[in-house]
Amino acid sequence: MSKIIVDGTEVDVPAEFTLLQACEAAGVEIPRFCFHERLSIAGNCRMCLVEVKGGPPKPTASCAMAVKDLRPGPNGEPPVVLTKSPMVKKAREGVMEFLLINHPLDCPICDQGGECDLQDQAMAYGVDTSRFAENKRAVEDKYIGPLVRTSMNRCIHCTRCVRFSTEVAGVPDLGAIGRGEDMEITTYLEHAMRSEMQGNVADLCPVGALTHKPMAFHARPWEMVKTESIDVMDAAGSNIRIDTRGREVMRILPRTNEAVNEEWISDKTRYVWDGLKTQRLDRPYVRRDGRLTPATWTEAFDAIAAKVKGTAPAKIGAIVGDLASAEEAFALKALLAKLGSGNIDCRQDGAALDPALGRAAYIFNPGIDGIEEADAILLIGTDPRHEAPVINARIRKRWRAAAGALKIGLVGTSVDLTYPYEYLGAGPETLADLAGSGTFADALKSAEKPLVIVGQAALGRPDGAAVLSLAARLAVSVGAVKDGWNGFAVLHTAAARVGALDVGCVPADGALDALAMAAPGALDVAFLLGADEIDVSPGAFTIYIGTHGDRGAHRADVILPGAAYSEKSGLYVNTEGRVQFANRAAFPPGDAREDWAVLRALSEVLGQKLPYDTLFALRAALVAAHPHFGRTDGLEPADAAAVTALSAKGGTTEKAAFGLAIKDFYLTNPIARASAVMAECSALRLGGATAVAAE
């Protein structure tokens, strides 16, 4: 630690701290445009100027000088930094005057108005006049894709967007051309950006040069109500803020959570909100004479009751979808139990995950932030760039921190990740060989904290259980499971999966799993709780509880309209087993109701009344049955004995190569498939792929 005096206040800070960080540790705000804590230092906006006593007789850029670079006073006194001296005040006013030379007077029509760093800092550190009367520079707007809108006249060349694309996203689409007054930020030949996290550049932009195109001119920041919630587009559990105006969701922004998503979110998380408004189910429907016709809740419930009461319990089943909260899964399981059926499953893709062994057998045990401790990573049947972009960004962050020394291997389909890796093979045979010897096997064994990540493409196969056991055996053999470190990690793709596994939404002994329930003649009555990724064969009377007119609704005999994730409160468990609370930001449309309330009302009509009348009572019952749901936002270590037990199960694997769990990143669930923005992104990516193939 080093001592430094900032505006008369002495503080102890690490010697590696920049002066800007040291000043903030002393409680002093330093204005900045180009500096960002998660990006490399550019030092090109000069707004963070401070005065260093004993230093050069000119202002110093506090973001680019470290505390260790300062020299003490003549008698060994700590270095002195001044942030409010006349020199600093004049320097900042001059910098602001330069920044505004070419900046257009767009504030009344700029989407950044009201949350613009340039506005705020011009008010706090600028002056009310300018000495420059020359014509302002004009820059042509660029097309960089359907998600980010450009107004490059406003650009102040802070290069935050360039550094994010290159360093964090790992897809260096943005760059600078020209010099001096001719400098411009652009993509290569004005192609669309290709990253799955490109929307973050609009958040990073300190002016209105980059804004969110889908939300352009729709609302002002001060008009919206801001609600903290959790994302369900993947299983990472990214922390988000949902902004609403009236009953309408206007935008989704990230919230900072260092342990999960830092301050980034994927483009699907950010821009899927328009899918919350279209193709919504806002009233019950009953199929009459082969056609779905609108009905009242009473008529829908009566149709269900008439069918259920004449059906044997063994012929009744339920499938939990990928977006359901833990409370809903718990209520559905309780209802099925009251009906005498054990046919319930949350694994639409047939993933071989068994909660009977313990949580460590199906969660991301080291935690998402634990990736930063790993010194060798093996990816098995997964494409983290598209299955969980924020987790992929964390792997890239670890690779960059290791200066390229981090060994990463992949078994499965060769994919384009944002960091180099060693392609080891395509299927289980390669995995079995790794348990022996070899270059990468030796790298895993010599690592202090090896990490084995198993994806859903390796588990959703007939031999998924054997593959999972083989992966666990490999993790144990290379020392990934030991005291102080559990490097066996299952990467989920469905937000509801871990929570549903926690509450036991898997078949009872001798009961049917999801794929068996979907087979012809397996069921007479099927409940689909937002289950759209599985096709139930004709013959079963299907009750669909969901939000959109998607696959499940098309197949249904009765539709009960539910609430989307932004329209209900609920607990979600992410891939690492972290329980997080999602708040309601809006209300369901029309006659739609929260899913737990639908199940509660239906249970009474079926004569099997569930014992809770409020969400709080339901949540209390959930916590009583599974106490870890009462400990939110924490990461509880799971017993590693489950991984050892899993490794001992064994089984016969097939020779087929691992495929991909996600074929189209932008169209993975009903909300995304209802989004025009996601459809445009999907078409753009497919079109680009076709063009490349044609060449």
Side-chain angles (χ1 to χ4, degrees):
M1 302 290 281
S2 300
K3 292 187 182 298
I4 184 172
I5 299 175
V6 180
D7 290 342
T9 302
E10 184 176 301
V11 292
D12 284 329
V13 296
E16 296 76 23
F17 263 30
T18 63
L19 296 188
L20 188 150
Q21 292 170 306
C23 290
E24 293 196 335
V28 177
E29 180 185 3
I30 302 295
R32 85 293 296 271
F33 290 114
C34 68
F35 177 81
H36 192 277
E37 291 79 0
R38 303 186 199 280
L39 304 177
S40 61
I41 294 172
N44 55 9
C45 79
R46 321 308 287 182
M47 195 64 205
C48 64
L49 296 174
V50 296
E51 181 180 356
V52 178
K53 284 289 187 181
K58 62 179 182 179
T60 299
S62 60
C63 71
M65 178 174 281
V67 172
K68 63 183 178 183
D69 296 330
L70 301 182
R71 58 186 182 185
N75 299 314
E77 302 95 336
V80 175
V81 174
L82 301 177
T83 69
K84 298 180 175 65
S85 67
M87 177 196 289
V88 173
K89 183 175 184 296
K90 184 177 180 180
R92 289 177 180 170
E93 289 175 352
V95 169
M96 181 59 68
E97 193 173 359
F98 272 117
L99 287 173
L100 294 177
I101 290 174
N102 287 310
H103 198 78
L105 297 174
D106 279 350
C107 295
I109 53 108
C110 178
D111 276 317
Q112 201 84 312
E115 51 187 8
C116 173
D117 291 347
L118 187 62
Q119 273 185 341
D120 297 340
Q121 294 184 38
M123 287 291 292
Y125 305 102
V127 291
D128 59 352
T129 58
S130 174
R131 290 168 287 178
F132 295 94
E134 290 80 8
N135 292 331
K136 293 182 181 290
R137 179 191 59 174
V139 182
E140 185 178 349
D141 292 341
K142 310 295 190 299
Y143 172 78
I144 61 174
L147 303 180
V148 180
R149 180 177 180 271
T150 62
S151 182
M152 304 312 289
N153 284 333
R154 305 168 186 161
C155 181
I156 61 171
H157 303 157
C158 69
T159 68
R160 279 186 181 183
C161 55
V162 176
R163 285 175 283 148
F164 172 84
S165 300
T166 304
E167 298 164 10
V168 179
V171 186
D173 286 324
L174 288 174
I177 60 173
R179 295 179 63 83
E181 191 176 64
D182 295 327
M183 178 177 171
E184 297 182 21
I185 305 294
T186 183
T187 57
Y188 178 69
L189 295 180
E190 297 195 17
H191 283 185
M193 295 178 69
R194 297 165 295 165
S195 170
E196 294 75 29
M197 301 179 68
Q198 62 184 271
N200 292 288
V201 301
D203 286 347
L204 288 171
C205 185
V207 295
L210 303 177
T211 54
H212 302 292
K213 187 178 286 187
M215 193 217 163
F217 311 119
H218 279 62
R220 287 294 196 178
W222 57 83
E223 298 175 332
M224 295 182 282
V225 176
K226 302 165 179 62
T227 306
E228 296 183 350
S229 192
I230 302 298
D231 171 54
V232 299
M233 293 299 111
D234 56 36
S238 298
N239 288 215
I240 59 173
R241 193 188 83 196
I242 302 175
D243 290 359
T244 57
R245 185 177 62 184
R247 300 176 63 93
E248 191 175 2
V249 175
M250 301 304 298
R251 67 176 178 181
I252 295 174
L253 297 176
R255 283 191 294 129
T256 300
N257 187 324
E258 299 293 344
V260 182
N261 59 305
E262 297 183 295
E263 62 183 80
W264 319 121
I265 55 175
S266 73
D267 293 335
K268 184 165 58 176
T269 298
R270 184 186 299 273
Y271 296 112
V272 79
W273 51 266
D274 70 315
L276 294 168
K277 309 173 188 179
T278 55
Q279 299 184 17
R280 288 300 302 270
L281 300 173
D282 59 358
R283 69 185 70 179
Y285 288 85
V286 175
R287 190 176 295 276
R288 300 185 178 99
D289 300 324
R291 294 176 60 87
L292 285 168
T293 58
T296 64
W297 280 102
T298 302
E299 291 171 343
F301 285 163
D302 288 345
I304 297 170
K307 189 67 178 179
V308 169
K309 289 176 181 177
T311 303
K315 285 288 190 176
I316 301 174
I319 301 176
V320 179
D322 292 346
L323 307 183
S325 69
E327 293 94 335
E328 296 155 10
F330 181 74
L332 182 60
K333 182 174 185 289
L335 178 58
L336 262 287
K338 282 180 171 290
L339 293 173
S341 173
N343 301 325
I344 187 169
D345 201 356
C346 62
R347 303 162 300 181
Q348 295 183 80
D349 54 3
L353 297 167
D354 185 3
L357 295 174
R359 290 186 96 212
Y362 61 86
I363 65 171
F364 202 97
N365 287 287
I368 294 173
D369 59 347
I371 292 172
E372 298 187 29
E373 300 179 43
D375 43 11
I377 299 176
L378 175 63
L379 304 172
I380 303 172
T382 181
D383 173 13
R385 177 175 173 182
H386 297 101
E387 293 173 18
V390 295
I391 293 180
N392 190 67
R394 188 81 73 148
I395 297 174
R396 175 175 170 80
K397 179 182 179 182
R398 176 68 185 101
W399 171 76
R400 292 187 71 243
L406 177 68
K407 293 286 187 181
I408 303 175
L410 173 67
V411 178
T413 302
S414 179
V415 290
D416 181 15
L417 300 178
T418 58
Y419 37 82
Y421 63 85
E422 182 180 345
Y423 184 67
L424 304 172
E429 289 183 340
T430 303
L431 203 55
D433 293 342
L434 279 173
S437 60
T439 305
F440 197 83
D442 294 341
L444 286 172
K445 291 174 183 176
S446 62
E448 286 286 324
K449 293 183 176 181
L451 175 57
V452 177
I453 301 177
V454 186
Q456 299 304 296
L459 306 180
R461 305 161 29 122
D463 64 342
V467 172
L468 185 61
S469 178
L470 182 58
R473 194 182 318 145
L474 173 63
V476 172
S477 67
V478 300
V481 182
K482 55 190 175 184
D483 289 342
W485 176 254
N486 185 346
F488 180 73
V490 177
L491 179 57
H492 289 270
T493 56
R497 185 69 54 84
V498 177
L501 289 171
D502 282 350
V503 302
C505 285
V506 292
D509 291 339
L512 304 176
D513 63 16
L515 298 182
M517 283 188 271
L523 296 179
D524 288 342
V525 176
F527 289 91
L528 304 182
L529 182 61
D532 291 273
E533 314 309 320
I534 189 169
D535 293 322
V536 178
S537 297
F541 183 85
T542 305
I543 301 103
Y544 176 76
I545 306 171
T547 59
H548 286 73
D550 205 75
R551 299 169 185 169
H554 293 167
R555 168 66 187 84
D557 294 288
V558 176
I559 295 175
L560 304 178
Y565 72 101
S566 60
E567 300 159 359
K568 59 189 176 186
S569 297
L571 295 171
Y572 288 91
V573 188
N574 73 347
T575 189
E576 58 181 349
R578 185 185 302 272
V579 180
Q580 299 186 102
F581 186 74
N583 285 301
R584 180 174 63 190
F587 291 89
D591 292 334
R593 297 292 181 267
E594 296 182 33
D595 300 41
W596 77 267
V598 173
L599 291 168
R600 164 64 181 79
L602 177 60
S603 70
E604 189 164 3
V605 176
L606 296 177
Q608 304 292 343
K609 182 178 177 181
L610 295 175
Y612 22 77
D613 296 327
T614 65
L615 179 59
F616 299 106
L618 169 56
R619 193 167 290 145
L622 171 64
V623 172
H626 307 279
H628 69 278
F629 278 99
R631 299 184 286 272
T632 58
D633 297 322
L635 196 58
E636 299 184 15
D639 188 355
V643 183
T644 306
L646 179 63
S647 68
K649 290 192 70 173
T652 304
T653 58
E654 300 176 354
K655 292 186 177 181
F658 299 136
L660 293 174
I662 291 179
K663 301 296 191 296
D664 191 332
F665 168 72
Y666 295 104
L667 305 177
T668 56
N669 59 62
I671 303 174
R673 287 191 286 270
S675 166
V677 176
M678 293 297 99
E680 186 178 357
C681 291
S682 175
L684 183 65
R685 174 159 294 189
L686 292 174
T690 303
V692 171
E695 292 171 4

